[in-house]
Amino acid sequence: MRTPNRRTTAALALALTAGLGSAALTALPASAAAESVKVQYRTSAVGATADQVEPWLKVVNNGTAAVPLSQVKLRYYFKADAATTQYRFACSWAVRGCAHITGTFGTLANPTATADRYLEISFTGGAGTLAPGADTGDMQLRFHRADWQALNQSDDYSFDASRTAYGDFAKVTAKLGAATVWGTAPGGNTPDPTPTGPTPSPTDPGPAGAALFDDFNYASHTDPAITAHGWSVRSNAGGPGVPGATWAPENVTFGLESGNSVMNLETSTAGSGQSTKHTEILTRATKFKNGTYAARVKFSDAPTHGPDGDHLVQTFFTINDLKAPMADDYAEYDFEYLPNGGWGEPANILYATSWETYRPDPWEAVNQHSEARTSYAGWHDLVLTIDDNTLTYYVDGQVFGTHDARYLPERPMSINFNQWLIDLNGQPGSTPRAYDQKVDYVLHVKDRVLTPAQVAARVGAYRTAGTTFQDTVPNG
């Protein structure tokens, strides 16, 4: 976690997960109703072969009632280069925000000469609604082979090299709820509501592996079990945040909420560096690298007392040390919620950021981030998975962002939670105020990629067994 100008570089656009599933499909014609949409398409990659497919889409409300985009799903159909070829989806830019668009891949039950796979596009609630006659604006989407080899799109059902300007396009299908309302799928197939690929059971805990789990069942910040379990409650001075602030271990407290033990990090200020108290807890060991990281965190938009407006950062992240400016073995992966903006943002925003490296002076950063400009007040399930190819961030079970292989870690990291003030410009008054960030649990499973459902099942299994702490992750 670093200084406010860390956001000055232009970050890469949001890229979203691409998993393979299977689905049974058959052809249905387009239909119109009070609630209906159509799809417009163009492409900016017109070659028969290309580095990536670029289906740029718009969804148009051609009905007479408002349409929540969260009820809309689109499918683009294509022929895989080989049975074993895997693909990755990305969103380069979208009027509605890439953070609100997800992409998953599926396999057709009835392959044709021009399609055996599909890319399904769906939307989070943050994408909003479409009024009658309105459209989403540009969604500049793309996908590529996981190995980045050139691909052949000339035999893809939904590809049309002549479409260099937006127009109605029936070879991309749309569903609204359970009904197909636009387009025709490849022969012998029909769009079903959701991909039916391998979805884990709600009770499937995923693959076994060395793991850290902590339910934060402690008496206070001085509880000797905190140290015994490998945590350090920060008390040393220094950044990030307000100059002159202290890191107050006594403001890390523990209690019960809804029957679960919960850790609370309180950050407070009275408008000066000397009165500002930040909070942080971190693992002393830097032994965590690939695998799954998860935590249930409660963000807050308002102070517990006093005036609102401070430029606050509430976090869950992993990090190792920067050995030299622009050192390429640095790693940091952040969930950062800014309830009142900061770093040039005027209001609440959630970031997921993957860091390759940086130089503090003069400032230079190499990172990729995803963002969503909306309130995240309340409890949220945060999951990060790191394999040998991709970093994938999830919020509440939905893909928030997928980042490129160039940002994968070279060295192990520590696990951290902190809450701190960027500056005192958001609320310059001297009235005392304080903010809370709560944490229910943290989980890391070494070298295993778990889905959010598997994370929930794993945590549930620990709690059913009465396990409040486990650490089998080896050092080194």
Side-chain angles (χ1 to χ4, degrees):
M1 315 304 294
R2 288 185 292 284
T3 53
N5 57 0
R6 65 200 295 264
R7 302 286 178 200
T8 55
T9 58
L12 297 178
L14 171 65
L16 301 174
T17 291
L20 288 176
S22 61
L25 307 174
T26 56
L28 287 177
S31 63
E35 293 183 334
S36 186
V37 298
K38 65 179 181 178
V39 181
Q40 295 184 339
Y41 160 85
R42 62 158 292 194
T43 182
S44 60
V46 299
T49 60
D51 291 334
Q52 54 191 0
V53 179
E54 298 185 17
W56 292 14
L57 304 175
K58 289 183 181 180
V59 179
V60 181
N61 183 349
N62 61 343
T64 59
V67 172
L69 281 169
S70 60
Q71 295 182 11
V72 175
K73 293 184 184 296
L74 313 177
R75 282 191 177 175
Y76 180 97
Y77 302 91
F78 65 99
K79 182 79 171 179
D81 288 349
T84 58
T85 304
Q86 297 202 16
Y87 295 86
R88 297 288 183 262
F89 168 74
C91 172
S92 296
W93 185 80
V95 171
R96 296 276 172 151
C98 282
H100 302 306
I101 301 172
T102 62
T104 54
F105 290 95
T107 303
L108 296 183
N110 301 303
T112 72
T114 59
D116 55 11
R117 306 272 184 94
Y118 60 84
L119 166 66
E120 181 166 279
I121 303 299
S122 56
F123 303 85
T124 71
T129 60
L130 284 180
D135 64 63
T136 57
D138 272 346
M139 295 187 294
Q140 297 180 7
L141 312 179
R142 56 190 171 91
F143 64 91
H144 58 84
R145 289 177 50 144
D147 59 9
W148 277 108
Q149 296 298 306
L151 51 78
N152 175 30
Q153 60 178 345
S154 63
D155 58 352
D156 291 351
Y157 175 83
S158 297
F159 171 68
D160 188 338
S162 70
R163 300 279 185 145
T164 57
Y166 279 112
D168 295 354
F169 192 65
K171 288 190 174 183
V172 174
T173 58
K175 292 190 72 71
L176 181 54
T180 302
V181 296
W182 178 261
T184 303
N189 297 279
T190 186
D192 55 4
T194 56
T196 56
T199 301
S201 158
T203 58
D204 174 16
L212 165 70
F213 172 73
D214 202 329
D215 213 17
F216 295 113
N217 188 13
Y218 302 109
S220 71
H221 75 281
T222 60
D223 190 329
I226 294 177
T227 301
H229 290 168
W231 295 100
S232 175
V233 183
R234 183 175 175 180
S235 60
N236 60 298
V242 174
T246 58
W247 295 82
E250 67 275 11
N251 286 356
V252 178
T253 58
F254 303 88
L256 289 176
E257 187 165 319
S258 301
N260 291 326
S261 53
V262 169
M263 175 174 65
N264 187 68
L265 284 72
E266 180 189 87
T267 291
S268 59
T269 189
S272 67
Q274 291 71 26
S275 67
T276 300
K277 294 183 177 181
H278 298 150
T279 42
E280 181 170 27
I281 185 169
L282 64 153
T283 61
R284 295 195 310 277
T286 53
K287 61 178 183 177
F288 308 99
K289 193 181 176 189
N290 286 18
T292 300
Y293 298 84
R296 184 163 173 80
V297 178
K298 187 175 185 180
F299 298 128
S300 58
D301 278 355
T304 57
H305 63 269
D308 198 0
D310 285 294
H311 292 156
L312 186 72
V313 185
Q314 300 176 323
T315 78
F316 166 43
F317 66 104
T318 66
I319 194 171
N320 59 31
D321 59 318
L322 182 72
K323 292 186 176 297
M326 302 303 287
D328 61 6
D329 63 349
Y330 176 74
E332 179 183 346
Y333 308 105
D334 305 332
F335 286 97
E336 295 172 307
Y337 181 54
L338 282 59
N340 295 314
W343 292 322
E345 292 291 332
N348 36 28
I349 185 169
L350 177 66
Y351 288 108
T353 309
S354 300
W355 288 83
E356 170 64 16
T357 190
Y358 73 102
R359 177 172 53 216
D361 188 21
W363 179 254
E364 182 179 358
V366 181
N367 64 31
Q368 182 176 3
H369 84 261
S370 305
E371 62 193 36
R373 291 175 174 83
T374 189
S375 173
Y376 279 87
W379 284 105
H380 295 283
D381 296 305
L382 310 178
V383 176
L384 163 65
T385 63
I386 305 175
D387 59 22
D388 291 332
N389 300 296
T390 310
L391 300 115
T392 305
Y393 295 82
Y394 299 85
V395 177
D396 298 330
Q398 300 296 314
V399 175
F400 188 83
T402 299
H403 296 170
D404 300 341
R406 66 179 297 196
Y407 300 99
L408 294 172
E410 287 86 9
R411 291 188 292 122
M413 303 166 287
S414 63
I415 297 174
N416 303 246
F417 299 89
N418 67 16
Q419 183 180 220
W420 48 282
L421 299 179
I422 296 171
D423 52 43
L424 298 172
N425 298 329
Q427 170 50 256
S430 60
T431 303
R433 58 268 190 190
Y435 301 82
D436 284 348
Q437 173 189 343
K438 296 182 179 180
V439 183
D440 185 12
Y441 70 83
V442 66
L443 171 70
H444 170 68
V445 181
K446 177 179 170 61
D447 297 330
R448 300 290 187 270
V449 171
L450 274 62
T451 67
Q454 289 171 331
V455 167
R458 183 73 61 94
V459 172
Y462 280 123
R463 287 177 166 166
T464 298
T467 302
T468 60
F469 176 81
Q470 180 188 75
D471 185 4
T472 58
V473 180
N475 290 311

